[in-house]
Amino acid sequence: MKNIKKIILIFVFIASCFHTNAQVELLEKYDLMPWPKEIKENGQKFIIKEDFTIAVNKDDINSKIVNATTKFLRRLSGRTGVFIEEGFATTTSITKTPSLFIDYNREGKLELNEDESYELSILNNQVTLTAITDIGIIRGLETLLQLNAHTKTEYFFHGVDIKDAPRFPWRGLMIDVARHYEPLEVLKNNLDAMAAVKMNVFHWHLTEDQGFRVEIKSRPKFHQLASDGQYYTHEQIKELVAYASNLGIRVVPEFDIPGHATSWLVAYPEMASKDTIYKIERYAGIFNPTLDPTKEVTYQIITDVFSEIAPLFPDKYFHIGGDENEGKHWDENDKIQEFKKKNNIKDNHELQAYFNIKIQKILKEQGKIMMGWDEILQPTLPKDVVIHSWRGKEAMLKAAKQGYKTVLSKGYYIDLLKSIKHHYANEPISKDHGLTEEQLKNILGGEATMWGELVTPVSIDSRIWPRTAAIAEKLWSSNEVNDADNMLKRLESVNYRLEELGISHIRNRNVILRNISNNQDLKSLINLTKICEPLKAYQRNKGGIQYKSYSPFTQFVDACNTDAIDAILFNKSVKKYLKSRADSGKKEVISMLDKWITNHTDFNEINNNPTLAKLEPLSSKLAELSSILKKGIARGSINKTEHQKSIGIIDFLSKPIVDTELVIIPAIKELITSIEIKNVKP
């Protein structure tokens, strides 16, 4: 018996190793993102020709399937150049032997925990996509598009069998349109991109100190006085919600209260905790204006707003913010202090809890489930409230242990401009979570958060993508899919495919550079963007006082992005060279140094305005330092004068220049340290 058990264990171990190796090979071969739950090759392929057709197993094709299949055909035709003759899906009663057969059971509900699973089989003679819901079909069509490949003579789909389903039911992107208004078209393009990587919740942050972005017919002062004329009408909201619904994406609105409320008080100062004149806030930061939780008029106005807005958003969840309320105006208000004593409310946290419970009741009357940032968590809060964790995973785990549903954004703050690898390493549920199986179910998933202080329609896509695609994979795929280098390989393909959906994250770099160069040759500026990144963690606008909401966001820093491509390549080349000292490594490093030496010559050709003059020290000193390094690497040493000069330049280049940082500095320091200092002539 013992021998049999040993044999079984050995067999299981061997099978496990074989499966792991097979998955690694497939991860290297296919650029699928997010990676599916199960994938196997079947040795076949489906060739894409003009006679490609789609048929659905329903006599009446619903709007989600019509939308998804039509977009699929246009994107497939656009990628391949194949003139597909039938431009729309039909039913199996019309097309008996379609190229792509779609089979689903029912229309999916746009609600939490709806089935999004699908199965995909690609054979020589037909592609079959099956799912329980039409939402599963939408997810499967995105995977099928990613399996499109080609040889010199034909386009085809790789022959695979896939069974796929998400790890988490809540996979969201929050976009703040209050600090900087974003047109509907920008939001629609981002919804398409979300669907492409299988995200399913659009969190729409609509109010802030800097603006109230929604038309309120019953309280028109909100959009008349507190929006600068930039707001969404009821019809526009309905349009966006319908657009998202066709993509299988839920829309959760956020109206931030009781703090972050200046725009509320510009319109209706009778809600305020302090009697003063309020103006729309033009800077970024945390401000004191706060709704008064002791006034009945506060709840009357909120009820008017929520009862008008709630029907526009079919989703059950409604986000009330609740973060960063420091309560300064509460502390200064004698009537509020008297109210606290009378009602045995010991501090501002309890006062906000009092406020939140009243808001929760208002929302419940509208059929909504309240959601808020983790500051709202307190013992008397009803258990159906969802806690949105932004300050730390500890808040998420605490909420889950106490029986609250919870969503994670800590580690997914894309406006902090941290690297793709940083976000990808953020595992939603760590191994030492300490939760029971039942408590684990309370963790619904996560959201990438795009706060809007430093983005406009020109730059917002570059701040969201492609990093959000990596976050999307963390929320869809198994936690065993965690190789960051492999993810970057797959992301490279997904990244540029986002452009076909209208995402401008790549092309708008040149739009910005043309603006600051007055349409001169961009080559030298592009080269600098490839080694410079925006200052991270709000250092670009430290204290929120450098930029106003209407300041120009069309500067060199707005053309730069995280994960600067040449910096990554240079850092790898330096490590490779220092490890082996091989000629090939040396040539790679010198080649890049040469690039920056000649780049300054090109830069001088266009350096003819005050904006570019601010960049000149970066370009010139980088060229000078690159020249010293090139000579040092070539001859194996530098003299003391060169060394001292290089140290001075490195010190200068280590400091921010026009709100960017030169991210090759660590590798340059390693190079300098590795070169011998000799008393030789330059």
Side-chain angles (χ1 to χ4, degrees), residues 63-65 67-68 71 75 110 116 134-136 138-139 142 171 187-196 198-201 240-250 501:
S63 63
K64 285 206 285 288
I65 295 296
N67 179 68
K71 284 187 173 182
R75 290 163 70 191
L110 283 166
E116 298 177 78
D134 52 2
I135 298 173
I138 293 169
R139 307 295 179 242
E142 292 295 343
R171 308 177 307 282
L187 300 180
K188 286 181 178 180
N189 291 341
N190 274 279
L191 286 167
D192 282 325
M194 288 173 64
K198 300 180 175 63
M199 301 183 92
N200 68 350
V201 179
L240 192 79
V241 169
Y243 193 91
S245 298
N246 266 339
L247 298 169
I249 294 174
R250 299 163 41 220
L501 301 169

Side-chain angles (χ1 to χ4, degrees), residues 306-322:
F306 287 0
S307 61
E308 183 175 323
I309 290 302
L312 301 178
F313 293 94
D315 200 78
K316 292 180 181 178
Y317 294 88
F318 197 106
H319 207 300
I320 58 101

Side-chain angles (χ1 to χ4, degrees), residues 29-30 42 44-46 122 147-149 156-160:
K29 183 173 181 179
Y30 298 115
N42 56 33
Q44 302 193 45
K45 68 177 180 180
F46 184 91
I122 301 172
L147 287 162
N148 169 227
F156 63 93
F157 292 121
H158 285 286
V160 294

Side-chain angles (χ1 to χ4, degrees), residues 258 270-275 278 288-296 298-299 325 327-352 354-355:
E270 57 265 40
M271 305 172 72
S273 299
K274 184 174 183 176
D275 184 12
Y278 290 91
N288 296 322
T290 313
L291 304 186
D292 188 336
T294 71
K295 291 179 180 177
E296 191 55 37
T298 300
Y299 301 105
N325 174 31
K328 187 173 186 292
H329 285 183
W330 287 355
D331 293 337
E332 295 172 355
N333 187 312
D334 291 338
K335 289 183 179 179
I336 291 177
Q337 296 308 309
E338 187 178 322
F339 179 88
K340 286 166 66 176
K341 288 179 182 177
K342 184 178 178 181
N343 291 275
N344 295 317
I345 296 173
K346 66 181 180 182
D347 55 28
N348 287 338
H349 186 63
E350 284 194 5
L351 182 58
Q352 186 162 339
Y354 166 87
F355 173 82

